[in-house]
Structure formats: structure tokens, C-alpha cells
Amino acid sequence: MTRRLRAALLLAASVPLTAATAAAVLKAGHLKLHADRHRIEITAQPRPNCPHCRGEGGWWTGGAFPEMEACGCWAHRRELRIRLLPIPAWDEPPF
């Protein structure tokens, strides 16, 4: 009985430390974490000290229909998506 209690207390103490460490690593790597019951996503964010985009993530190209051109400091980095639960299909339109 005391082993289970000790293990539960150790686990409860280590979860906040693990979460804080993960948050620090994500922030240092300029990554964004999104989690819900359907998926976990880790995506790249623009670097605030980038000399090309100055942390904006890109720039607008000229022309009649301007478009945003993404900076290479974040656009060409990999994303990680882990699917947890399937998203339910809609039987009817949501309106």
C-alpha cells in the first residue's frame, strides 16, 4: 500500500515539472503546442530575431492582388500532428 502511495505522490510531483520543462523547450525552439481531444499539434512559429522578417513571419509582395510570402525561418520547418480521436462526421449541415 505504501509503495502505491509513494508512486502516486512521485507521479503527481513530476507532472508539473515535466509540463514546465516541455513549455520551456517549446518556447526556446519557437514552437507552438495545440492539444484537444482530437489531436496534438506542434507547429513552428516565426523567430522574433529573424533579420529578414523581424518576427512577422513574412512580408507582403506587391501587385494587384498582394499575397504574403512566408519567411524561411519558420515556413520550411516540420510540423508534428498526432491524431487521438476521430472527428465525428456531420450528418447534417451545421446551420
Side-chain angles (χ1 to χ4, degrees):
M1 184 72 169
T2 59
R3 283 186 178 181
R4 288 183 186 172
L5 180 61
R6 187 179 302 157
L9 289 174
L10 182 62
L11 181 63
S14 67
V15 168
L17 179 64
T18 304
T21 304
V25 167
L26 289 172
K27 187 173 183 179
H30 305 290
L31 300 169
K32 178 180 151 187
L33 173 70
H34 172 81
D36 60 19
R37 65 184 209 177
H38 298 291
R39 67 189 175 281
I40 298 172
E41 291 182 358
I42 299 176
T43 56
Q45 295 294 302
R47 296 178 193 262
N49 59 353
C50 178
H52 303 291
C53 69
R54 296 181 197 97
E56 296 293 320
W59 49 88
W60 292 98
T61 59
F65 302 104
E67 293 182 359
M68 177 111 174
E69 184 175 334
C71 183
C73 71
W74 70 276
H76 305 296
R77 294 173 64 192
R78 293 182 56 186
E79 297 178 354
L80 175 66
R81 290 190 182 111
I82 302 171
R83 211 170 99 180
L84 301 175
L85 292 174
I87 298 174
W90 288 92
D91 291 336
E92 298 178 10
F95 45 81

